């Protein structure tokens, strides 16, 4: 019996060693494969032979078309989708599609390091650009918005006294509404009604269950959601990013006496473009994809409290101050096009203008 037990233990130990070796080999292979993966931005030469500029209802909503007509904005080739045949040919090489942009006429893919040169030979490919190493993407563990503390404003700090002359009792939001004199617009009944605001951010966790946003769902003011970082995911998931929730609250919250936002009667599209795992160049392409979607569903305004300078996971792609000329960075190019489509783009100026900050610019 003792010999039998010893025999079993010996074989178990041997099996464990084999399993460990196999695991290490598999991990090594996976690591090597990951390290050999890159994200490529592939720009195409054209949209293909089929022209549908005179059929905007094929790719834009009625509200989007109405906005273009209202502002006398012509439809052009940037409105056409990226050629599906071109995309499929690229994907047949084994690449994984991450996002696409009709405005930029490009796609972003994940593929082997050697794919770039091969794809560049395709007759309809204008350029191939490596934008990051796939292995570096999403490796940052902490919440990158952790420095943006939320603090309760004491009652004695409120600039605006909530009185009978105001349409709303703003509660803790009285400080922000008074800074921009928004109460005067509200008193004239300009509260966002009839406007569609697309919020581009990192997620909207628990928005669907918070009391501050009840009126949005009671009145069907949330027109929909879209996730470009993790397509199909639930943007309200408790584990999703919270920065979008914070930003949305400054506009859409509506609990009189507690907090009332700047546009409590507007309609909203909640669009996830920001990867909460870390800063990466692909987020600028997600942003453009989100802006295009906002255009297609007829958004009047894009609100985006996001900015891109330093990519902690891929520092070799950091932007310099000289890049911040409004025409160089992908997100800036996308914002310019959105404006040309008749959308008012409202974007944050950044949190890095303080004296002690090494960036030293707004």
């Amino acid at each position: 019996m003792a010999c039998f037990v010893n025999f079993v233990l010996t074989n178990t130990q041997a099996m464990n060693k084999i399993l460990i070796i196999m695991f290490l080999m598999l991990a090594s292979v996976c690591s090597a494969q990951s390290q050999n993966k890159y994200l490529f931005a592939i720009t195409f030469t054209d949209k293909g032979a089929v022209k549908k500029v005179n059929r905007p209802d094929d790719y834009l909503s009625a509200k989007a078309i109405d906005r273009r007509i209202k502002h006398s904005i012509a439809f052009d080739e940037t409105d056409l989708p990226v050629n599906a045949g071109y995309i499929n040919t690229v994907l047949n090489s084994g690449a994984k599609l991450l996002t696409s942009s009709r405005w930029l006429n490009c796609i972003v893919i994940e593929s082997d390091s050697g794919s770039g040169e091969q794809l560049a030979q395709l007759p309809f490919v204008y350029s191939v650009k490596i934008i990051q190493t796939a292995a570096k993407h999403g490796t940052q563990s902490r919440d990158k918005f952790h420095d943006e503390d939320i603090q309760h404003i004491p009652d004695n700090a409120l600039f605006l006294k909530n009185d009978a002359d105001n349409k709303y009792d703003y509660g803790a939001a009285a400080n922000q509404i008074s800074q921009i004199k928004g109460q005067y617009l509200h008193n004239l009944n300009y509260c966002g009604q009839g406007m569609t605001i697309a919020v581009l951010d990192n997620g909207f966790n628990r928005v669907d269950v918070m009391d501050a946003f009840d009126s949005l769902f009671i009145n069907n003011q949330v027109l929909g959601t879209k996730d470009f970082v993790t397509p199909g995911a639930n943007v309200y998931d408790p584990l999703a990013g919270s920065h979008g929730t914070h930003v949305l609250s400054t506009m859409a919250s509506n609990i009189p006496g507690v907090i009332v936002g700047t546009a409590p009667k507007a309609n909203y599209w909640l669009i996830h473009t920001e990867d909460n795992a870390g800063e990466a160049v692909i987020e600028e392409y997600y942003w453009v994809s989100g802006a295009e979607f906002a255009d297609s569903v007829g958004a009047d305004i894009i609100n985006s409290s996001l900015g891109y300078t330093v990519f902690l996971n891929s520092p070799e792609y950091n932007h310099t101050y000289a890049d911040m000329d409004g025409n160089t960075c992908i997100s800036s190019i996308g914002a310019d096009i959105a404006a040309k489509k008749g959308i008012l783009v409202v974007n944050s100026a950044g949190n890095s203008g303080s004296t002690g900050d090494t960036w030293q610019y707004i």
Side-chain angles (χ1 to χ4, degrees):
M1 186 67 178
C3 290
F4 175 74
V5 172
N6 185 58
F7 173 78
V8 172
L9 287 174
T10 301
N11 280 274
T12 300
Q13 292 169 346
M15 181 60 70
N16 286 342
K17 289 182 179 179
I18 293 173
L19 290 173
I20 290 172
I21 292 171
M22 290 177 64
F23 174 79
L24 292 174
M25 290 175 64
L26 179 61
S28 177
V29 170
C30 291
S31 176
Q33 289 178 340
S34 178
Q35 290 174 358
N36 288 329
K37 295 284 187 180
Y38 288 87
L39 302 193
F40 297 92
I42 300 178
T43 303
F44 299 121
T45 56
D46 53 53
K47 294 290 181 73
V50 180
K51 304 294 183 183
K52 298 181 181 179
V53 173
N54 61 340
R55 295 284 304 276
D57 54 319
D58 286 349
Y59 40 83
L60 295 174
S61 69
K63 193 173 187 303
I65 293 172
D66 288 343
R67 189 190 65 239
R68 302 286 186 87
I69 294 173
K70 176 183 177 181
H71 297 292
S72 301
I73 298 172
F75 303 98
D76 59 32
E77 194 164 313
T78 63
D79 294 314
L80 298 176
V82 181
N83 185 284
Y86 295 172
I87 295 176
N88 290 333
T89 300
V90 171
L91 298 185
N92 286 339
S93 68
K96 176 184 177 182
L97 180 66
L98 299 180
T99 194
S100 65
S101 167
R102 67 175 186 271
W103 288 352
L104 305 175
N105 196 21
C106 80
I107 60 175
V108 177
I109 62 168
E110 179 181 293
S111 190
D112 296 328
S113 58
S115 299
E117 293 182 5
Q118 299 174 6
L119 294 173
Q121 303 305 312
L122 293 173
F124 50 79
V125 170
Y126 176 76
S127 67
V128 177
K129 178 182 178 182
I130 295 176
I131 61 170
Q132 70 188 69
T133 305
K136 294 181 179 180
H137 183 46
T139 57
Q140 184 176 340
S141 59
R142 68 179 179 86
D143 182 354
K144 61 186 177 183
F145 294 103
H146 79 293
D147 291 329
E148 296 190 14
D149 296 331
I150 298 176
Q151 300 177 358
H152 175 67
I153 301 172
D155 292 339
N156 60 8
L158 298 180
F159 297 162
L160 175 67
K161 298 301 180 182
N162 292 302
D163 53 41
D165 292 334
N166 292 320
K167 182 179 179 68
Y168 294 108
D169 181 354
Y170 295 97
N175 186 26
Q176 73 155 9
I177 200 73
S178 67
Q179 287 182 346
I180 60 174
K181 309 302 181 186
Q183 72 272 20
Y184 298 112
L185 292 174
H186 286 173
N187 293 341
L188 293 172
N189 202 36
Y190 294 110
C191 306
Q193 61 268 40
M195 303 299 292
T196 298
I197 301 174
V199 186
L200 275 57
D201 221 292
N202 79 326
F204 304 87
N205 68 346
R206 304 185 69 247
V207 162
D208 58 334
V209 296
M210 288 185 176
D211 292 343
F213 302 113
D214 275 356
S215 62
L216 289 183
F217 296 94
I218 292 172
N219 299 319
N220 298 315
Q221 291 171 244
V222 176
L223 301 182
T225 67
K226 185 75 171 179
D227 195 320
F228 285 93
V229 179
T230 311
N234 177 15
V235 301
Y236 303 130
D237 191 294
L239 298 179
S242 60
H243 191 260
T245 303
H246 302 163
V247 170
L248 181 66
S249 72
T250 68
M251 295 176 283
S253 56
N254 191 4
I255 305 181
V258 179
I259 181 172
V260 178
T262 55
K265 292 188 178 181
N267 295 322
Y268 292 89
W269 274 92
L270 308 182
I271 304 175
H272 180 198
T273 64
E274 184 78 357
D275 188 347
N276 205 46
E279 295 287 22
V281 180
I282 191 174
E283 292 174 290
E284 294 197 59
Y285 289 89
Y286 287 148
W287 193 97
V288 176
S289 296
E292 291 177 9
F293 180 79
D295 170 42
S296 71
V297 296
D300 302 293
I301 298 170
I302 288 174
N303 183 288
S304 168
S305 189
L306 303 171
Y308 305 100
T309 53
V310 177
F311 303 105
L312 299 180
N313 295 337
S314 303
E316 62 269 35
Y317 302 111
N318 287 352
H319 294 317
T320 65
Y321 180 67
D323 292 335
M324 304 299 177
D325 59 1
N327 300 304
T328 300
C329 302
I330 291 298
S331 52
S332 296
I333 295 170
D336 282 347
I337 297 175
K340 291 177 181 177
K341 303 298 183 184
I343 299 173
L344 176 64
V345 180
V346 181
N347 201 79
S348 59
N351 302 323
S352 303
S354 61
T355 304
D357 194 282
T358 56
W359 181 250
Q360 296 182 352
Y361 303 103
I362 293 178

